[in-house]
Amino acid sequence: MTLASTTFSDFHRQSLQNPDAFWAEQAKLIDWQTPPQQICDYSNPPFAHWFRGGTTNLCHNAVDRHLKDRANQPALIYVSSETGIEKTYTFAELHTEVQRMAAILLELGVQQGDRVLIYMPMIAEAAFAMLACTRIGAIHSVVFGGFASVSLASRIEDATPKLIISADAGSRSGKVVPYKPLLDEAIALSSHKPEAVLMVDRGLTAFASVAGRDHGYAALREKHLQASVPCVWLDATAISYTIYTSGTTGQPKGVQRDTGGYAVALAASMVHIFEGKPGETYFSTSDIGWVVGHSYIIYGPLIAGMASIMYEGLPTREMDGSANAGIWWRLVEKYKVTRMFSAPTAVRVLKKQDPAYLKQYDLSSLQGLYLAGEPLDEPTAKWISEALGVPIIDNYWQTETGWPLLTVANGVEKMPSKFGSPGIPMYGYNVKLLHETTGEELTEPNQKGVVVLEGPTPPGFMQTVWRDDARFVNTYWKSVPGKLVYSTFDWGIKDADGYYFILGRTDDVINVAGHRLGTREIEESISSHPNVAEVAVVGVADALKGQVAMAFVIARDTSALQDEAARLKLEGEIMKLVDGQLGAVARPARVRFVSLLPKTRSGKLLRRAIQAVCEGRDTGDLTTMEDPQALQQIRDLMA
């Protein structure tokens, strides 16, 4: 399949009309020990099995295969502005460290198919652990290092790990966050008890070890300095990892990923979407606790032969602890980053800083900034686009998809991005918009419907829910009556050019006097006001209209909020703006001004918690919330 003469439209069409030939070609981007015997087995919809009969290994493709040509090239660049550590590992050094970690896992009894739960901060040893697991065929389950004991316990129960790998502490804004007490409490709460715990001691805080269960990483590493642990060749359909979807309540929902399909999907995305080249540097500001960290800190860039920056810290804090909203740009300059991946929330944080920070560093190496994790509003996109002078490429995907579902594939054909739109469906994804009640496909431009996928889903997509095929089918594939389609649970529209616009979750819908409105639509409108930095809109129960919209706004210029008259003036301007753009029915009942919005540590707005506070209900599990004070502000306003 020659890209030089291929339009993206043809490329996408081939992926849907002849998926076996298309993905057989993409499979050449990785190493196989045994070539696949069957490209796609879709004999039992909606379960898609990719590259049956083929054997490969994720760690081999990320590390070992590069030793021949680029052993001394940087592979993992670890930077912590929290502890002042900055260290580069070449592919050869990474290979050595991963083998040492793999030897430790084997000594602690971990075998192929066993689960290893990783509860760690953003440190290099976490990357070694993930790669070591895939090297020996163990299934890793990374749990975000900020989760509290109850949430961690539920994941321990679900994954039933033989081993848990953790550290003494993380650090945020210079404040030590002890992990070991949280881990010990979680194990006490869980009905499943791991056989062993491996502890990385960063020297940040003292911790108590449990005799017979806890093992020190440093001593075991010293024991295995000369370790040689070969890769285990796994069937392409073997499980590589599970990852729990954020915001899960009740029983956690473990997204299960395969080995071969994931490796091929990431390799292809690095070429077609991210245009990464061997020897270049990739910088994703995510966390390994989230799917972006799996796909585009650890596996994707390394598979592509790139150096990957693993960053611990805030975007506004320098290595010596001083304030510097330009640290990311300093790293771009120092390591000649060509591709950068972040989230709109992070950009909004930087937007509030002095724009001079962007001018201090040479950003000429940077060729693209990719943003995902939440909708990218147009004002933020325009600001960062003008500030950096490079393409700003939005992309939309989910923990479940493993790699971008909607974006633009400039590696296939240069295409314009549209502010406010993540883009068009990527190759392998058969995206449709369906009417929420009738299931009818909406084909006219700008019709609002539920974004769904028709099977088979492409390589890299979730295989199923860990240990619960029925839940996988019932949750994702049966939400539209009479149709077996995967629901993203997101509203969307598609314009005349085929670009999609995501309007918010199907459960983030406001029903005002019979009119159904997506919160995202109202937020976009409010965001266009020049004095709005951030906004969250929720539907609040109303005796007359069923629901009304309530908006919570962070103002860019707080001097405009000095007294009640000023606040009412700005509130009136915002209401008038929404009235003019969306109509009176979408106008918020009130606009409340806050200094913080409640978010998870990954930057997602906690709309349901805001709604619960507004309605005087219990907010439920808030262990993922970044700053409790944000929700308290809303409580005070609603009192």
Side-chain angles (χ1 to χ4, degrees):
M1 194 172 295
T2 305
L3 292 184
S5 59
T6 301
T7 65
F8 182 76
S9 179
D10 289 339
F11 196 69
H12 185 258
R13 190 180 306 110
Q14 291 168 17
S15 75
L16 298 187
Q17 293 181 352
N18 195 354
D20 280 10
F22 179 90
W23 287 107
E25 186 70 20
Q26 305 309 312
K28 296 176 183 177
L29 293 169
I30 71 164
D31 282 359
W32 296 89
Q33 197 244 3
T34 306
Q37 307 303 301
Q38 183 181 11
I39 302 301
C40 182
D41 174 3
Y42 199 53
S43 58
N44 182 28
F47 300 94
H49 302 281
W50 287 95
F51 308 114
R52 275 200 185 280
T55 56
T56 188
N57 183 283
L58 266 175
C59 184
H60 167 85
N61 279 285
V63 182
D64 298 54
R65 71 168 177 157
H66 300 302
L67 298 178
K68 178 175 176 289
D69 297 323
R70 53 185 61 87
N72 296 319
Q73 175 197 303
L76 185 71
I77 300 166
Y78 172 62
V79 179
S80 172
S81 62
E82 295 291 330
T83 59
I85 295 173
E86 196 164 344
K87 180 174 174 58
T88 296
Y89 297 85
T90 65
F91 274 102
E93 290 167 337
L94 180 59
H95 181 245
T96 298
E97 292 294 348
V98 170
Q99 287 187 99
R100 290 167 177 166
M101 181 68 81
I104 293 171
L105 299 190
L106 292 171
E107 178 175 331
L108 295 178
V110 177
Q111 299 177 0
Q112 183 177 333
D114 286 340
R115 274 76 58 208
V116 176
L117 191 140
I118 299 171
Y119 179 65
M120 301 180 81
M122 287 289 285
I123 55 177
E125 290 82 0
F128 304 158
M130 294 171 71
L131 289 162
C133 286
T134 54
R135 187 173 194 84
I136 65 174
I139 300 167
H140 65 65
S141 186
V142 182
V143 176
F144 177 64
F147 274 163
S149 298
V150 173
S151 296
L152 177 58
S154 65
R155 286 149 177 79
I156 293 171
E157 284 198 353
D158 196 62
T160 61
K162 178 170 282 189
L163 170 71
I164 295 178
I165 307 178
S166 191
D168 58 336
S171 180
R172 189 165 182 84
S173 195
K175 296 177 182 176
V176 172
V177 182
Y179 280 25
K180 188 57 160 54
L182 295 173
L183 175 59
D184 286 342
E185 184 182 354
I187 293 173
L189 290 171
S190 172
S191 60
H192 173 81
K193 310 297 180 185
E195 293 180 11
V197 171
L198 179 64
M199 291 296 301
V200 176
D201 187 354
R202 306 177 70 188
L204 296 181
T205 185
F207 62 91
S209 290
V210 176
R213 186 197 73 183
D214 296 354
H215 304 265
Y217 170 72
L220 287 175
R221 177 181 176 275
E222 192 70 23
K223 182 178 177 181
H224 294 289
L225 289 178
Q226 307 304 318
S228 177
V229 180
C231 291
V232 174
W233 297 106
L234 302 168
D235 190 274
T237 60
I239 305 167
S240 59
Y241 69 80
T242 63
I243 181 171
Y244 293 95
T245 52
S246 59
T248 301
T249 56
Q251 183 186 357
K253 190 166 54 183
V255 169
Q256 177 180 309
R257 194 90 64 210
D258 71 1
T259 296
Y262 187 53
V264 171
L266 293 184
S269 73
M270 294 305 297
V271 174
H272 306 317
I273 297 172
F274 297 102
E275 301 182 87
K277 296 178 177 60
E280 295 181 345
T281 305
Y282 195 98
F283 181 15
S284 171
T285 67
S286 184
D287 187 288
I288 57 160
W290 314 121
V291 71
V292 172
H294 284 54
S295 294
Y296 297 112
I297 294 177
I298 306 299
Y299 294 113
L302 294 177
I303 287 172
M306 301 178 76
S308 179
I309 295 179
M310 184 177 186
Y311 178 76
E312 178 188 41
L314 301 175
T316 54
R317 180 184 169 89
E318 191 44 89
M319 300 293 288
D320 60 4
S322 62
N324 178 12
I327 181 165
W328 285 358
W329 314 122
R330 181 179 71 74
L331 296 177
V332 168
E333 176 187 81
K334 180 175 181 178
Y335 295 106
K336 294 182 169 49
V337 172
T338 56
R339 307 285 164 179
M340 189 170 174
F341 195 132
S342 194
T345 293
V347 176
R348 292 187 196 106
V349 168
L350 296 174
K351 185 180 175 184
K352 299 173 186 176
Q353 308 297 319
D354 187 338
Y357 283 114
L358 279 162
K359 307 299 181 186
Q360 292 179 9
Y361 303 100
D362 178 4
L363 306 182
S364 58
S365 65
L366 192 63
Q367 297 173 38
L369 172 65
Y370 301 80
L371 297 172
E374 58 184 303
L376 173 62
D377 59 280
E378 189 168 334
T380 299
K382 282 185 175 178
W383 176 81
I384 193 64
S385 177
E386 292 168 1
L388 292 179
V390 301
I392 308 301
I393 302 168
D394 196 2
N395 57 113
Y396 161 79
W397 46 302
Q398 302 176 318
T399 301
E400 292 85 349
T401 70
W403 57 284
L405 191 164
L406 300 171
T407 186
V408 291
N410 285 328
V412 179
E413 178 188 10
K414 299 299 180 187
M415 299 184 72
S417 293
K418 289 189 178 186
F419 288 133
S421 167
I424 60 177
M426 286 296 93
Y427 50 91
Y429 288 106
N430 192 0
V431 184
K432 307 281 186 184
L433 282 174
L434 300 186
H435 189 278
E436 61 172 312
T437 54
T438 67
E440 172 193 3
E441 183 179 354
L442 306 175
T443 56
E444 295 299 315
N446 301 314
Q447 289 182 293
K448 178 180 169 182
V450 182
V451 181
V452 305
L453 305 176
E454 289 192 350
T457 48
F461 202 89
M462 71 183 296
Q463 289 179 301
T464 185
V465 171
W466 167 250
R467 287 180 165 170
D468 202 338
D469 288 350
R471 191 177 184 192
F472 172 65
V473 175
N474 293 330
T475 299
Y476 293 106
W477 291 88
K478 289 191 173 179
S479 66
V480 179
K483 293 203 172 185
L484 190 69
V485 290
Y486 171 91
S487 177
T488 64
F489 299 103
D490 276 313
W491 295 111
I493 61 172
K494 181 174 66 172
D495 70 10
D497 298 322
Y499 283 71
Y500 280 73
F501 294 77
I502 302 300
L503 305 178
R505 297 290 290 175
T506 54
D507 48 11
D508 284 340
V509 172
I510 302 172
N511 194 329
V512 182
H515 297 272
R516 297 176 69 80
L517 304 166
T519 56
R520 189 65 206 158
E521 296 166 287
I522 304 173
E523 288 172 353
E524 284 280 0
S525 177
I526 294 173
S527 291
S528 66
H529 189 285
N531 196 22
V532 172
E534 289 190 70
V535 57
V537 173
V538 298
V540 178
D542 180 82
L544 180 62
K545 297 181 178 180
Q547 279 185 309
V548 292
M550 191 76 71
F552 295 90
V553 165
I554 299 176
R556 294 190 67 186
D557 178 11
T558 55
S559 65
L561 306 174
Q562 287 181 344
D563 53 43
E564 185 64 12
R567 288 191 288 273
L568 288 172
K569 180 177 180 292
L570 182 54
E571 181 178 24
E573 290 175 4
I574 291 170
M575 288 182 170
K576 185 177 179 181
L577 181 66
V578 176
D579 203 337
Q581 292 183 356
L582 300 178
V585 70
R587 186 174 60 222
R590 285 300 307 270
V591 178
R592 309 278 191 168
F593 298 101
V594 294
S595 62
L596 292 167
L597 286 173
K599 296 175 183 176
T600 66
R601 295 181 183 92
S602 63
K604 292 185 178 179
L605 280 167
L606 289 165
R607 288 188 181 84
R608 292 185 196 177
I610 297 172
Q611 184 185 53
V613 168
C614 292
E615 295 180 348
R617 295 184 287 104
D618 179 51
T619 55
D621 183 8
L622 294 176
T623 55
T624 63
M625 188 164 66
E626 175 68 31
D627 191 336
Q629 184 58 35
L631 210 56
Q632 188 58 48
Q633 285 188 26
I634 295 173
R635 285 194 181 96
D636 294 342
L637 284 169
M638 301 305 295

